[in-house]
Amino acid sequence: MLVLLAGIFVVHIATVIMLFVSTIANVWMVGYYNAEKASSGLWLLCNRSCGHLPVATSDDASLKAVQAFMILSIIFSVIALVMFIVQLFTLEKGKRFYITGAIMLVCWLCILIGASIYTARFTKMAGFREVHHGYCFILAWICFCFSFIISILYLVLRKK
């Protein structure tokens, strides 16, 4: 049981780190912009240097929503990690980690909404050619899977 809790804790920490990287780094979309290899993220457009991300007015609200939901997912994941540590030391034997699991489900939902909006609205960026998704986009979906698995495990596990 201790090994399982330690494993979940390690995967939870890895998920938090991957969420930070996927939200902060600017490699959600990779392609060629003005004949130079470039990448765009949630915040900046980077080729040789990073600058303002050119977004159509109609997509500006969608980008803000993706930014907000990815930041919320980080916040909820960190809160769930702290709650797991608190519950580990204060929860009675035989009780389940319901609060931690519920918070991780909210984190999972935020990742789902943020990554889904990005997938639906930003398949092609204006001025880009030969576009494909970058590692940050893939990390966000990996975090989506991990957070769901972790939340279910937290809901099922009992403290022994």
Side-chain angles (χ1 to χ4, degrees), residues 1-159:
M1 185 65 172
L2 184 62
V3 173
L4 184 60
L5 285 175
I8 292 171
F9 184 71
V10 168
V11 173
H12 195 147
I13 290 175
T15 303
V16 170
I17 291 169
M18 288 189 297
L19 275 172
F20 268 107
V21 169
S22 71
T23 303
I24 294 170
N26 291 305
V27 193
W28 280 65
M29 192 75 72
V30 179
Y32 289 93
Y33 185 77
N34 294 335
E36 293 181 354
K37 189 167 179 108
S39 64
S40 70
L42 301 179
W43 313 101
L44 299 170
L45 170 69
C46 299
N47 42 21
R48 289 188 180 154
S49 63
C50 294
H52 178 70
L53 182 63
V55 178
T57 308
S58 61
D59 289 336
D60 192 44
S62 299
L63 184 63
K64 298 282 187 220
V66 174
Q67 292 170 344
F69 279 111
M70 292 308 291
I71 290 171
L72 282 173
S73 69
I74 292 171
I75 292 169
F76 283 121
S77 186
V78 169
I79 290 172
L81 190 62
V82 170
M83 283 306 299
F84 172 69
I85 294 169
V86 168
Q87 283 186 318
L88 197 58
F89 293 110
T90 61
L91 203 63
E92 297 174 15
K93 291 188 184 254
K95 300 284 184 174
R96 295 179 190 239
F97 297 95
Y98 287 126
I99 296 172
T100 306
I103 295 171
M104 275 308 288
L105 278 176
V106 173
C107 170
W108 169 78
L109 189 64
C110 288
I111 298 170
L112 173 66
I113 293 170
S116 296
I117 292 172
Y118 193 88
T119 303
R121 300 291 286 183
F122 298 100
T123 54
K124 295 181 182 174
M125 297 289 284
F128 271 77
R129 58 185 177 79
E130 298 180 33
V131 179
H132 63 277
H133 292 292
Y135 73 88
C136 292
F137 178 78
I138 296 165
L139 274 179
W141 283 108
I142 290 172
C143 290
F144 165 76
C145 297
F146 280 179
S147 63
F148 182 72
I149 292 167
I150 291 170
S151 63
I152 297 301
L153 287 174
Y154 280 142
L155 291 173
V156 171
L157 278 180
R158 290 180 185 270
K159 182 179 177 187

